[in-house]
Amino acid sequence: MHGTLPDREADRWHYHPKGPVPLNPLFSWPPRPAAVLRWYRGAWMEITSLTVCLLLALALYAWLLPPLAEMAVFRPGWMLQVWLANLLPQVAVAGGLHWWLYIRKGQGMRKKFDTRDLSRGNGTFTFKNQVLDNMWWTLGSAITVATVYQWGIYWLMANGWVPTVTFAEAPVWCVVWMLLIPMWSGLHFYWVHRLEHHPRLYKHVHAVHHRNVNIGPWSGISNHWYENLLYFTTYFIHLIVPSHPLHLVFHAMFQQVSPVLSHSGFERVIAGETEAAKAGDFFHQLHHRYFECNYGTSEIPFDKWFGTYHDGSASATDRTRAFKKQMYTR
Ligand SMILES: [Zn+2]
Ligand SMILES: [Zn+2]
């Protein structure tokens, strides 16, 4: 059993979480209501990517985002504000985490998955430096594409050309839709990501993200232009599903900032002796090391259903390597 015998996989990591990588028990059969409750309590009642993104969204909506009515006509003022609402949280969270974990080395190696430090002097990366490469693809490419898409959606919302709701009209729907956005994002991500692993698209596009085998906070949305064009189509759901601007701000934070945490390379952020926040996601860390596994997220277990789930064990690594070989020799 994994975790009880000496595990070849554990030797490949500095910190290797015990037991199989957890998946959302909502989809388990027979139903496990207590486990589902624990899963969602863990996601919403602690400092996690979800709660950080929700707080950021509320703050941005309250203090930075212009009122919808202003966005009915394209004008530089509000467009700049929307760009800043994307740029500032990205710089604050990725910059802050990178500083704490990799510059200040505030928690040393505690809960760090990979033994290695981030790469410098490596020609694989733009500017021969992993962090500068990742900053360029994040702030240059990803934030630009995300902003342009949001400009379009806010403009359509402001003109009443797509369905919108207010909290006063539909309070229950506003909350339900907020809770469903991460689920939608996971569903969309799985399919887009699978497409990007088509060998041809992978080589020219998705390989930019996968330069990062050992990932850091800035790797989160360090993507090629074409990947960003695809990845951020997730926002187009707001053209169909009745939404409030706050839904789009939260969706943006979830799509842009939560990968910063999940790619941080550390399972938790530790301050002093306190485990302050959940951060890294071993599920996705495995994807960066072994590529052809864990395409989705642990929120909807597509990988389990389609046979590409890596549970963190040595046998799953063997299976993934065999699958990869066969994929590229067809
Ligand atoms: Zn990938
Ligand atoms: Zn990734």
Side-chain angles (χ1 to χ4, degrees):
M1 238 323 258
H2 180 72
T4 51
L5 290 173
D7 187 343
R8 282 181 288 134
E9 192 59 33
D11 297 340
R12 298 182 179 125
W13 300 92
H14 173 259
Y15 168 66
H16 179 259
K18 283 201 175 64
V21 181
L23 298 171
N24 188 351
L26 183 65
F27 299 92
S28 301
W29 193 260
R32 296 163 54 206
V36 174
L37 206 68
R38 261 198 314 277
W39 177 272
Y40 282 102
R41 205 172 42 208
W44 286 101
M45 305 302 281
E46 287 180 48
I47 304 181
T48 61
S49 57
L50 275 172
T51 47
V52 167
C53 291
L54 184 64
L55 289 175
L56 280 171
L58 289 167
L60 292 168
Y61 181 74
W63 293 312
L64 186 54
L65 203 79
L68 198 55
E70 258 181 49
M71 304 197 247
V73 180
F74 287 116
R75 288 219 175 86
W78 72 262
M79 292 165 82
L80 183 73
Q81 279 168 280
V82 171
W83 178 65
L84 288 174
N86 289 311
L87 185 79
L88 298 179
Q90 203 71 29
V91 171
V93 178
L97 263 186
H98 179 77
W99 172 80
W100 174 252
L101 299 171
Y102 293 92
I103 297 177
R104 166 88 209 280
K105 297 192 192 292
Q107 62 188 69
M109 292 290 283
R110 282 186 292 172
K111 299 273 167 165
K112 186 176 190 310
F113 297 125
D114 207 296
T115 42
R116 294 164 293 178
D117 200 2
L118 302 174
S119 257
R120 285 160 204 246
N122 180 338
T124 320
F125 292 101
T126 311
F127 315 119
K128 290 198 173 137
N129 178 306
Q130 183 177 9
V131 178
L132 294 180
D133 167 285
N134 289 184
M135 287 176 76
W136 154 245
W137 290 105
T138 298
L139 301 177
S141 177
I143 294 296
T144 305
V145 174
T147 302
V148 170
Y149 282 1
Q150 290 165 29
W151 284 343
I153 298 166
Y154 286 129
W155 175 74
L156 289 166
M157 279 181 167
N159 282 288
W161 293 328
V162 292
T164 53
V165 283
T166 63
F167 191 74
E169 280 165 13
V172 176
W173 168 246
C174 281
V175 174
V176 169
W177 181 211
M178 206 66 150
L179 297 175
L180 286 177
I181 284 172
M183 196 66 99
W184 158 252
S185 160
L187 184 144
H188 175 274
F189 176 67
Y190 177 81
W191 292 105
V192 163
H193 193 189
R194 276 232 81 154
L195 181 70
E196 281 164 357
H197 274 261
H198 182 284
R200 226 179 276 168
L201 208 54
Y202 182 86
K203 189 167 161 229
H204 299 291
V205 177
H206 192 45
V208 168
H209 184 65
H210 275 287
R211 287 170 181 176
N212 306 287
V213 175
N214 173 25
I215 45 184
W218 283 107
S219 312
I221 50 168
S222 175
N223 303 330
H224 187 278
W225 289 98
Y226 289 145
E227 170 157 0
N228 287 321
L229 288 173
L230 265 174
Y231 176 72
F232 291 117
T233 56
T234 181
Y235 300 152
F236 297 163
I237 191 80
H238 301 289
L239 303 178
I240 305 160
V241 175
S243 301
H244 186 278
L246 183 59
H247 289 119
L248 180 52
V249 187
F250 173 63
H251 197 163
M253 288 304 100
F254 188 72
Q255 205 69 19
Q256 295 156 212
V257 174
S258 84
V260 169
L261 288 127
S262 67
H263 288 74
S264 65
F266 288 74
E267 190 187 53
R268 280 175 183 264
V269 179
I270 303 174
E273 289 312 311
T274 316
E275 294 199 352
K278 281 189 189 166
D281 176 11
F282 195 54
F283 183 91
H284 194 66
Q285 186 96 23
L286 285 159
H287 176 71
H288 275 269
R289 182 169 283 190
Y290 300 121
F291 305 91
E292 305 306 336
C293 61
N294 297 2
Y295 298 108
T297 62
S298 44
E299 204 52 33
I300 313 181
F302 281 118
D303 288 285
K304 183 141 200 195
W305 299 333
F306 296 121
T308 53
Y309 167 50
H310 193 312
D311 62 357
S313 67
S315 58
T317 296
D318 295 341
R319 203 197 54 235
T320 304
R321 284 180 172 156
F323 174 56
K324 187 175 174 206
K325 209 163 159 191
Q326 162 246 315
M327 216 178 133
Y328 282 88
T329 47
R330 254 184 303 192

